Amino acid sequence: MANPGAVGPAVFILDCDDTLLDNDALKDDLDTRLRALLGGPLVARFWQVYEAVRAETGAVDYPLTLARFRPALPNETTLAQIHALIMDYPFATCVYPGALDALAHLRAIAFPAIVSDGDSVYQPRKIARSGLAAAVDGHVLIYVHKEEHLDEVMARWPAPFYVMVDDKARILSATKQLHPDRFVTVHVRQGHYGRAPDRFPIAPDLTIARIADLRALDLADLRSHLAS
Ligand SMILES: [Mg+2]
């Protein structure tokens, strides 16, 4: 099919947290490190502020959480230590086994990109420092709710079709509802969202247990899941 301007035969839109990077493990480890620094009561307060910010903005936002948490801290030194713990975390240690190989495979057969929900400071930093941005040649976009920006994503990277890979069945259902003839959805059953029971209107087209399993998917088979 003639498709002038297409960046590849398909664009894979990959999520970051709990899809390419084990964010549940990162959060658990961060909790342990914060406890050592602050003690239990202050850490409990920190996560309360984190959840309040998430409820208010619709996404995790560590910079805003830190700004709101600051008055609870005894001094600026402690604030600087927490800031360093969060922003300079060794993110590469949390990339799932096989994720980088899967991205290399996708680069060979199609065009992979990362589209992640999150804030505009911490989230791009995590994706860059984990090595994931380089593994998709810097093709990274961050939104608060990615399913509200699919037209922008398609305009940015024109292609015959798209494969949305995510641990959240809610996002996959919303995407398929909006563009059944353009998007194939792949549910990665990793992390606490990925393991939760599906309860959304449209089931994912395909399900894989681990991100490494992406390597086994075939473009022609994926394309067969588009609505005609
Ligand atoms: Mg996710």
Side-chain angles (χ1 to χ4, degrees):
M1 146 177 128
N3 204 302
V7 295
V11 170
F12 282 74
I13 304 292
L14 295 126
D15 177 52
C16 174
D17 293 340
D18 294 326
T19 295
L20 292 165
L21 184 145
D22 189 346
N23 205 58
D24 288 358
L26 187 159
K27 207 172 154 209
D28 286 349
D29 186 42
L30 189 60
D31 180 72
T32 303
R33 293 175 188 230
L34 286 171
R35 261 168 217 285
L37 193 64
L38 299 173
L42 264 184
V43 174
R45 176 76 191 124
F46 175 83
W47 292 121
Q48 277 171 9
V49 174
Y50 167 99
E51 289 299 342
V53 165
R54 178 154 74 165
E56 183 182 313
T57 67
V60 168
D61 189 329
Y62 279 110
L64 186 56
T65 300
L66 275 174
R68 297 260 180 95
F69 184 56
R70 185 178 181 159
L73 290 172
N75 52 55
E76 290 296 307
T77 307
T78 310
L79 177 68
Q81 286 172 317
I82 299 173
H83 187 274
L85 261 187
I86 293 170
M87 301 304 280
D88 298 333
Y89 189 87
F91 299 108
T93 61
C94 294
V95 172
Y96 279 116
L100 294 176
D101 283 348
L103 292 176
H105 172 72
L106 295 182
R107 282 208 310 279
I109 65 162
F111 182 102
I114 295 172
V115 180
S116 171
D117 290 347
D119 76 288
S120 61
V121 175
Y122 171 83
Q123 197 68 0
R125 187 180 178 99
K126 174 164 71 177
I127 293 170
R129 291 193 167 192
S130 61
L132 290 169
V136 293
D137 298 321
H139 300 125
V140 178
L141 289 174
I142 312 285
Y143 294 110
V144 173
H145 294 297
K146 68 178 87 173
E147 67 275 20
E148 295 171 5
H149 299 273
L150 297 177
D151 289 328
E152 282 167 55
V153 170
M154 290 190 284
R156 174 101 168 221
W157 299 308
F161 74 103
Y162 297 81
V163 183
M164 173 81 85
V165 183
D166 210 295
D167 62 296
K168 286 185 178 166
R170 175 186 64 75
I171 290 174
L172 298 174
S173 175
T175 298
K176 194 73 181 181
Q177 197 153 26
L178 286 166
H179 298 287
D181 55 336
R182 304 303 309 283
F183 275 81
V184 177
T185 56
V186 178
H187 193 201
V188 193
R189 302 211 74 144
Q190 295 168 160
H192 68 290
Y193 291 107
R195 289 189 297 268
D198 287 351
R199 51 183 177 81
F200 302 98
I202 303 180
D205 291 317
L206 293 162
T207 294
I208 55 178
R210 300 169 309 133
I211 194 66
D213 299 339
L214 263 188
R215 292 190 56 135
L217 301 182
D218 170 77
L219 279 188
D221 177 51
L222 284 164
R223 198 185 295 114
S224 73
H225 293 277
L226 294 172
S228 49

